[in-house]
Amino acid sequence: MERNTVIDPGSELDFPLLPTPAAQPTSCCPPAVFVTLLLTLSDLLSGLASGMTVKFFAIFFLEQCRLRPATVAAVAAAAPCGVAFAAAAAQRIAARVGRVEVSICTRLFDVGLLSSMAFISTARAPAMLTVHLLRTALANSTRPLMRSVLMEVVPKQYRGKVNAFESITMFSWSGSAALGGVLIERLGFQATFLVTAAIKLAACVPVVVLCVTLRRLGLSGARDWRDGRAARR
């Protein structure tokens, strides 16, 4: 579930995000490089954390919560519906408060809900399933929004290279499953949830840095930023 969502690079979402041309930093680090590095670092950490637990949730519900296979399958089928609903809600909220700000909030909720799963008794299966579905929906709700942030900053001729570079995050998502298996064997499922939550919290730091930097630069609509850049050509 928790993988990067690829959207149309040419899509235009008029949410307040990008600095005006006059406010763009004049340092040796261009905005495209700065934003790409921050978001890629965040995705790497998120992929590392998610891979440690996502692939083992079915086993956790079967063995620890004593759920039937049909129930686990139904939960897996319901999760995408929750993600779609949460993504639509996040898009509406982002139009008012900003995409990066909404992403930070959903990430923090993800951390909190995953941490709570470490303390909920496995005998309370309905509560565990409810928290799991809510967490899954929030964790994946803002990925298209953050993807649009990156695509607006990166010039069109470099978007293919950025997409290829971001494929590294898929390795961290898949490769960390082995580490998750080792932790589950030694610490148990719920202790591994706490380790995952800690890494997810660390993944929030680059996004917070991006948000603070953009606020210091001053915010403008995406089209205004593109129109200003085109006017200078």
Side-chain angles (χ1 to χ4, degrees), residues 4 40 44 161-172:
N4 288 332
T40 300
L44 279 171
K161 295 181 180 179
V162 171
N163 286 332
F165 182 71
E166 280 209 319
S167 64
I168 299 175
T169 61
M170 299 300 296
F171 172 77
S172 68

Side-chain angles (χ1 to χ4, degrees), residues 88-155:
Q91 183 172 339
R92 288 181 173 274
I93 299 173
R96 294 179 175 271
V97 302
R99 285 170 282 181
V100 181
E101 290 83 353
V102 172
S103 179
I104 292 173
C105 291
T106 57
R107 288 166 185 258
L108 292 177
F109 276 115
D110 176 20
V111 171
L113 291 171
L114 184 59
S115 299
S116 69
M117 292 181 66
F119 299 100
I120 298 176
S121 172
T122 55
R124 300 176 58 189
M128 188 75 76
L129 290 177
T130 301
V131 172
H132 169 68
L133 288 174
L134 182 58
R135 187 209 64 82
T136 301
L138 291 174
N140 294 279
S141 62
T142 57
R143 293 184 181 276
L145 294 178
M146 297 307 293
R147 185 67 180 174
S148 71
V149 169
L150 185 61
M151 290 297 101
E152 283 180 359
V153 179
V154 177

Side-chain angles (χ1 to χ4, degrees), residues 25 27-35 153:
S27 65
C28 60
C29 186
V33 176
F34 182 67
V35 174
V153 179

Side-chain angles (χ1 to χ4, degrees), residues 6-51:
V6 178
I7 67 171
D8 181 9
S11 63
E12 297 184 357
L13 299 175
D14 298 321
F15 302 152
L17 170 73
L18 298 173
T20 59
Q24 290 182 22
T26 57
S27 65
C28 60
C29 186
V33 176
F34 182 67
V35 174
T36 300
L37 289 177
L38 287 177
L39 293 184
T40 300
L41 175 60
S42 178
D43 285 344
L44 279 171
L45 292 174
S46 296
L48 174 65
S50 298

